[in-house]
Amino acid sequence: MDEALARAWIAAAADAIRADAEHLTDLDTAIGDGDHGVNLRRGFDAVTAALGSFEAESAGDVLGKTGTTLLSKVGGASGPLYGTVFRALGKTLRGGGTFAEGLQAALDGIKQLGKAEVGDKTMVDALTPAVEAYAAAAQDGEEAAAQAAAKAAKTGAASTVQLQARKGRASYLGPRSVGHPDPGATSTALILQALADVTGDGA
Ligand code: ADP
Ligand code: MG
């Protein structure tokens, strides 16, 4: 990934979050406290502003800056979690690692921070299959890998509907959390779809 693609991804992710902020908040109203879309929109607005004046030398710089901005501007559970995702991606790319390795580091980071596993009805349920799908398709090129990751994340997010939440605010609802998609898994799928949308665009 080069700097232009990283910038295009974050811009597309910010657009997707803005477009779906109300939907994400509705999902969080059903099983949380109704702030997920608002939180992420505030965060990505801050990221857009921060990147506008940021002189990056690489994709890693862009993604690292995205992470530190999300960490400082987004409250709740999702700020530190998404901050961790983008900081891990940035750090891995800056260190010469591949994007597939960066995604794995991002997943490791949120699991370490939030202690969630697959099946707990969190963003881990979308990110885990996406990381696997990206790695499996990486040999076919960036575009194919991004598309595979987006598809897997979407399926993973859909799988959360039937799950009972065991982490985060939704876990307070116990069995009443079943029947609703997890907001964070849904936003993870959006962010990875944004990557698929811009990859191979010549962006
Ligand atoms: P808050 O729950 O503090 O209001 P948000 O509403 O912004 O924060 O984000 C909620 C999302 O955060 C959940 O839908 C879930 O995907 C994710 N989440 C919450 N706790 C955890 C955790 N321990 N590990 C992974 N993801 C989590
Ligand atoms: Mg919330």
Side-chain angles (χ1 to χ4, degrees):
M1 176 177 289
D2 61 13
E3 184 198 332
L5 180 57
R7 284 188 182 273
W9 176 24
I10 300 306
D15 284 346
I17 293 295
R18 281 183 207 113
D20 276 32
E22 207 170 312
H23 174 60
L24 293 171
T25 284
D26 288 348
L27 296 181
D28 195 37
T29 300
I31 61 167
D33 57 354
D35 63 356
H36 189 58
V38 174
N39 282 341
L40 284 187
R41 186 173 55 203
R42 188 189 320 114
F44 275 91
D45 282 348
V47 167
T48 303
L51 288 180
S53 57
F54 179 62
E55 297 204 11
E57 283 172 11
S58 67
D61 287 348
V62 171
L63 300 180
K65 182 73 173 174
T66 298
T68 51
T69 306
L70 290 176
L71 199 58
S72 66
K73 299 290 178 185
V74 185
S78 62
L81 291 163
Y82 276 124
T84 297
V85 164
F86 286 100
R87 278 176 19 149
L89 278 167
K91 188 175 173 197
T92 304
L93 295 186
R94 280 197 303 264
T98 63
F99 194 78
E101 288 165 346
L103 283 176
Q104 183 64 54
L107 177 60
D108 293 345
I110 61 170
K111 287 173 81 171
Q112 201 181 352
L113 181 65
K115 310 276 183 251
E117 294 294 334
V118 167
D120 287 346
K121 197 178 181 101
T122 71
M123 55 179 72
V124 170
D125 290 307
L127 192 55
T128 301
V131 170
E132 288 165 5
Y134 193 100
Q139 72 213 31
D140 302 327
E142 227 174 18
E143 187 175 2
Q147 275 166 7
K151 192 170 164 209
K154 192 173 177 191
T155 305
S159 80
T160 65
V161 172
Q162 72 205 28
L163 296 172
Q164 177 171 333
R166 286 194 291 249
K167 284 284 183 288
R169 282 179 200 281
S171 66
Y172 308 157
L173 288 184
R176 282 184 293 134
S177 63
V178 176
H180 305 274
D182 177 62
T186 306
S187 57
T188 294
L190 276 180
I191 290 167
L192 288 170
Q193 184 58 52
L195 176 63
D197 289 345
V198 298
T199 306
D201 256 10

